[in-house]
Amino acid sequence: MDSKALVLFTLLGFLLAEPGFGQRGDTDLSEWMKAQEKLINTLQGNQKDVERQQSDLLALEARLNATVDELERQKDEMDKLKKENQDLQTRLSASDGEIDKLKHSSKAAPRVAFSVSLVNSGEIYQGPCTDKTLIFKRIFSNVGNAYNHNTGIFTAPANGLYFFSFNTYGYNTHIVGAILVKNAVRQISTYDYPSTDGSDSGSNTAVLQLAAGDKVHVELWDNSRVFDNMNGHTTFSGFLLFPL
Ligand SMILES: *[C@@H]1O[C@H](CO)[C@@H](O)[C@H](O)[C@H]1NC(C)=O
């Protein structure tokens, strides 16, 4: 039984039980019942409207909930990105610092290295002589131009620790040897007396602490003679190990 019919029967029950019912006219009764039916229809229509609105509201709330969830997810994502960005910023500024340090240290460390031998053509027997500085003419390398091939003198371009080595070669008629000199002060040397063997070679190496402007060269001992040709027997090399 549908609800409309149920209501009608109930109303009918009330009417029949009502005192004085029999005194009403039939026309009155049917009009009254029509009015009641209309009222019921209206009420039922209203109820449907309310139900529809309720379900609309529920759907709206579900969409709102979904939107809130999505916003929260996006906020989490944003927080994560912010943190990642901060980490990157931190690492970036650390890297910048490292780059600056590297730039600075590469500026502070000029590139200095040279390697030379006595002649760049023919051959030479040098010494004994009064101007004993060996002027090496054949340039294998001279990065930084700290070695001067006109004077034979190396001038330190910066404070630092420098590596030097030299070799002397000559025949047995003379002393064969030379001295590595720093600012007119002897440091290390080679030396070989005249002897029965045909020729002699000697070499030596030093790591010297130099200040910018310090001068280093190789010079013959008194009465010493060295030989060289394009085979590069008599040589002088040096480079900056690191700045100090
Ligand atoms: C919307 O979220 C609230 C709070 O979490 C919850 O109580 C409600 O049932 C949700 N509504 C719907 C339609 O999912």
Side-chain angles (χ1 to χ4, degrees):
M1 200 190 289
D2 80 12
S3 57
K4 199 164 34 167
L6 185 67
V7 172
L8 280 174
F9 274 117
T10 312
L11 279 171
L12 208 58
F14 275 123
L15 287 174
L16 290 172
E18 191 183 4
F21 170 72
Q23 287 147 29
R24 288 199 182 184
D26 284 351
T27 318
D28 283 353
L29 179 62
S30 84
E31 270 176 16
W32 183 81
M33 280 183 71
K34 268 187 202 144
Q36 296 305 311
E37 194 177 354
K38 210 173 144 197
L39 184 63
I40 288 165
N41 278 341
T42 307
L43 283 173
Q44 281 183 334
N46 285 351
Q47 192 186 344
K48 281 214 179 88
D49 280 349
V50 168
E51 279 169 4
R52 208 178 303 121
Q53 281 173 10
Q54 265 179 349
S55 104
D56 283 355
L57 272 177
L58 214 63
L60 210 58
E61 188 184 306
R63 284 174 60 193
L64 197 64
N65 280 2
T67 307
V68 168
D69 287 351
E70 177 62 14
L71 276 176
E72 274 169 3
R73 197 187 62 74
Q74 286 186 6
K75 186 178 174 299
D76 286 351
E77 185 76 6
M78 188 80 90
D79 287 349
K80 214 176 98 193
L81 285 175
K82 263 190 201 161
K83 187 169 180 324
E84 276 176 12
N85 197 30
Q86 263 172 5
D87 290 351
L88 280 176
Q89 289 284 354
T90 309
R91 285 174 54 192
L92 195 63
S93 54
S95 299
D96 280 350
E98 285 301 311
I99 288 169
D100 280 352
K101 255 194 262 167
L102 280 176
K103 271 192 198 155
H104 183 74
S105 68
S106 67
K107 247 185 228 151
R111 305 204 301 166
V112 184
F114 74 96
S115 191
V116 292
S117 69
L118 213 48
V119 293
N120 54 22
S121 68
E123 58 179 35
I124 191 174
Y125 294 85
Q126 186 153 345
C129 52
T130 46
D131 188 1
K132 294 195 280 289
T133 299
L134 293 176
I135 300 175
F136 298 84
K137 290 294 187 187
R138 187 176 179 196
I139 312 295
F140 297 113
S141 58
N142 190 15
V143 175
N145 281 312
Y147 171 76
N148 184 331
H149 67 275
N150 295 312
T151 61
I153 292 171
F154 171 88
T155 306
N159 297 353
L161 214 55
Y162 291 79
F163 176 98
F164 292 101
S165 79
F166 67 100
N167 192 80
T168 49
Y169 173 85
Y171 294 102
N172 61 2
T173 52
H174 290 78
I175 290 164
V176 179
I179 311 156
L180 184 77
V181 179
K182 169 189 163 185
N183 296 337
V185 179
R186 289 173 181 173
Q187 309 289 312
I188 55 173
S189 63
T190 59
Y191 200 93
D192 210 295
Y193 286 105
S195 55
T196 50
D197 59 350
S199 65
D200 284 303
S201 195
S203 68
N204 215 335
T205 298
V207 173
L208 301 182
Q209 184 168 343
L210 303 182
D214 280 353
K215 293 183 190 313
V216 173
H217 72 277
V218 178
E219 68 182 34
L220 291 173
W221 285 107
D222 290 341
N223 303 314
S224 170
R225 170 182 282 182
V226 293
F227 171 83
D228 201 19
N229 59 16
M230 288 302 280
N231 292 332
H233 296 287
T234 298
T235 58
F236 180 31
S237 300
F239 54 86
L240 172 63
L241 265 179
F242 45 81
L244 287 173

